[in-house]
Amino acid sequence: MSVPSLHYYLLGEGVKAFSTMRRGGCSEGCYGQFNINPYCGDSEEAVRRNRESLCQLLGIDNDRLLMPHQVHRTEIAIVDEDLLLCPTEKLEGVDALMTELHGVCIGVSTADCIPVLLFDKVHRAVCAIHAGWRGTVQRIVEKAIGRMAAVYGTRPEDVIAQTGPGISLDSFEVGDEVYDAFAEEGFQMEAISRKYVAAIGEKWHIDLSECNRRQLMSAGVPSENIAVSPVCTFKQHDAYFSARRLGIHSGRIFTGILLL
């Protein structure tokens, strides 16, 4: 089996951050080639082999690669030695992970939603966040930074942030109920939305990456500490998974972060 293709991010010394691409695995069809998400319908054997391949590339044991079973809410799990003793139960219904353990890769799974990585360069703690539109409306990024402050003493000005591949404004058409959900929560709609002419009339589009970039700044992260991926998963579904383009029975991107 070939080596998985990863897109790496530069967050600082002593930390490895990346998003998986579709190449370099053994999954087939809309799961092809590289998928490690066991919840989206891929074969167990393919997921196992792909996961082993990623762990080998990262130089970690299989039990040191953690991905939650996400449910589009705002539960945040602290990955410590106790969680590692029984991870499956404690990662159910969780949409963000944070840790200060070295040699443990935490990450989230996406296929149009926005993955967000945080690195506290002073306290040496990291966080991986799944920010779909529901989590974004519920301000999961702001909550994660607040949780890091409470647990690790993180100061927002010390955080380096990276958003990963996700659906772009041009491609993310939403219903009025989604637009209204953002408006009701006080988002600056003129900055994060736009109306496009569609086949059945005008439709709202939302910029999820911009929503989360603004949340990072609202939480106190300096704009110069925030990097935003230019990848639109919908447009680049040949390289990255897109549920809107490929269907829900397709693979997922894994965006992870690891303290070395």
Side-chain angles (χ1 to χ4, degrees):
M1 183 170 60
S2 58
V3 176
S5 294
L6 307 183
H7 179 83
Y8 291 99
Y9 307 110
L10 298 176
L11 271 68
E13 292 186 7
V15 62
K16 183 177 291 185
F18 63 91
S19 292
T20 60
M21 302 179 70
R22 292 188 63 178
R23 298 186 296 273
C26 63
S27 295
E28 298 179 349
C30 289
Y31 299 101
Q33 299 170 314
F34 190 83
N35 168 63
I36 65 166
N37 186 310
Y39 308 113
C40 58
D42 197 1
S43 78
E44 291 183 10
E45 177 63 14
V47 169
R48 182 189 65 79
R49 291 174 60 190
N50 287 337
R51 184 184 173 94
E52 288 179 353
S53 180
L54 178 58
C55 288
Q56 183 176 4
L57 181 61
L58 296 175
I60 60 174
D61 293 335
N62 185 62
D63 62 357
R64 293 299 189 264
L65 177 63
L66 300 180
M67 177 180 66
H69 187 191
Q70 301 156 191
V71 291
H72 295 273
R73 292 201 290 264
T74 60
E75 289 297 315
I76 303 164
I78 301 169
V79 177
D80 53 18
E81 294 293 349
D82 286 340
L83 184 144
L84 292 176
L85 294 175
C86 185
T88 303
E89 178 182 340
K90 295 178 181 178
L91 296 181
E92 181 66 34
V94 169
D95 282 85
L97 302 177
M98 49 192 276
T99 193
E100 59 181 355
L101 297 179
H102 289 251
V104 176
C105 181
I106 59 172
V108 291
S109 184
T110 60
D112 287 328
C113 297
I114 307 299
V116 182
L117 299 177
L118 307 177
F119 171 47
D120 177 348
K121 62 184 180 181
V122 173
H123 295 92
R124 311 296 297 176
V126 294
C127 184
I129 305 163
H130 164 238
W133 77 260
R134 292 178 178 84
T136 299
V137 165
Q138 296 174 73
R139 301 185 185 275
I140 187 171
V141 165
E142 293 182 24
K143 291 176 181 177
I145 293 175
R147 190 74 180 278
M148 289 182 74
V151 175
Y152 305 124
T154 295
R155 300 183 306 170
E157 58 266 33
D158 296 328
V159 170
I160 308 298
Q162 173 74 57
T163 73
I167 196 165
S168 66
L169 170 69
D170 291 347
S171 301
F172 190 40
E173 178 183 298
V174 302
D176 288 347
E177 73 282 359
V178 176
Y179 177 93
D180 291 342
F182 280 90
E184 288 168 7
E185 288 300 319
F187 285 83
Q188 295 180 332
M189 302 311 295
E190 68 280 2
I192 66 161
S193 65
R194 187 184 307 166
K195 265 192 174 178
Y196 285 64
V197 176
I200 56 173
E202 293 185 325
K203 298 290 290 186
W204 283 110
H205 286 227
I206 297 285
D207 190 337
L208 275 184
S209 286
E210 178 63 12
C211 289
N212 285 286
R213 189 185 73 85
R214 286 172 173 264
Q215 277 193 51
L216 288 163
M217 291 191 298
S218 294
V221 179
S223 60
E224 61 269 23
N225 287 9
I226 304 169
V228 176
S229 170
V231 172
C232 172
T233 47
F234 186 86
K235 295 176 182 177
Q236 296 174 242
H237 66 281
D238 56 334
Y240 296 91
F241 291 110
S242 168
R244 282 207 170 195
R245 196 68 180 262
L246 301 169
I248 60 171
H249 298 294
S250 58
R252 301 292 188 268
I253 303 160
F254 178 75
T255 296
I257 189 164
L258 169 71
L259 289 168
L260 303 175

